[in-house]
Amino acid sequence: MTTPTAVVPPPLPGNRPRGWWDRHWKWAVPVIAVVAIALFVASIFGLLVLGGRMMKSVEPYQRAVALARQEPRVAAALGAPIEEGWLPMGQISTQGGNGTANLDITLRGPRGKGHLYVDAQREGGQWQYRVLSFSGEGIQVDFPHDPPATDATHCEP
């Protein structure tokens, strides 16, 4: 005796099986949007951190911070230890042995905070400082425009 087999009719035209996207788009779209926004924010943050590190590595930045740390009036106004802000503002442009640097560096200490301003020009590989000053709460210190290199480059931060 044979058992009857059920015959499955072919799918009707227009009633195709629903795919993954058709079943899950309501939660997939917000997840994709959040991931895209997070990647965008992370890339902007990464560029800022990279730019800040690059600015901190140039001679005018390092020299200015070293001079400010050595200056007794700045140390008295901010207290010890003097710490740098995480992101310097300004711009640096170099090409070959020439370039310019315009920086606003935030310095903090236990007693307060202030800004270190640097405007320098590089010609023939040598930086010449047009402005090198510190401005804090109730204090203004103008450093010599061309401080001796041994004062700033060999000091401990």
Side-chain angles (χ1 to χ4, degrees):
M1 177 161 170
T2 63
T3 58
T5 60
V7 177
V8 178
L12 296 174
N15 283 344
R16 61 183 172 87
R18 290 177 56 188
W20 184 91
W21 183 255
D22 291 332
R23 293 188 317 265
H24 302 289
W25 72 270
K26 288 182 181 179
W27 66 265
V29 169
V31 167
I32 291 170
V34 167
V35 167
I37 290 169
L39 287 174
F40 177 75
V41 168
S43 65
I44 295 296
F45 181 75
L47 287 174
L48 286 174
V49 169
L50 180 65
R53 286 189 181 182
M54 288 174 52
M55 280 188 162
K56 287 182 176 186
S57 69
V58 297
E59 181 184 337
Y61 179 95
Q62 293 176 348
R63 193 170 193 184
V65 170
L67 284 172
R69 284 185 172 145
Q70 288 180 347
E71 175 61 42
R73 293 174 289 176
V74 174
L78 299 181
I82 295 175
E83 297 179 1
E84 308 159 36
W86 73 277
L87 183 63
M89 302 300 290
Q91 64 184 21
I92 296 173
S93 172
T94 59
Q95 184 174 10
N98 300 326
T100 60
N102 299 303
L103 301 172
D104 178 358
I105 305 163
T106 302
L107 297 178
R108 289 188 177 87
R111 295 188 195 132
K113 72 176 187 173
H115 293 270
L116 188 58
Y117 300 103
V118 180
D119 182 8
Q121 185 170 357
R122 183 178 178 187
E123 292 179 9
Q126 287 291 105
W127 286 100
Q128 303 296 321
Y129 296 87
R130 296 182 285 214
V131 174
L132 187 52
S133 66
F134 174 80
S135 179
E137 298 166 3
I139 184 174
Q140 173 73 31
V141 178
D142 292 318
F143 297 98
H145 282 54
D146 289 313
T150 57
D151 286 349
T153 57
H154 300 296
C155 70
E156 292 295 321

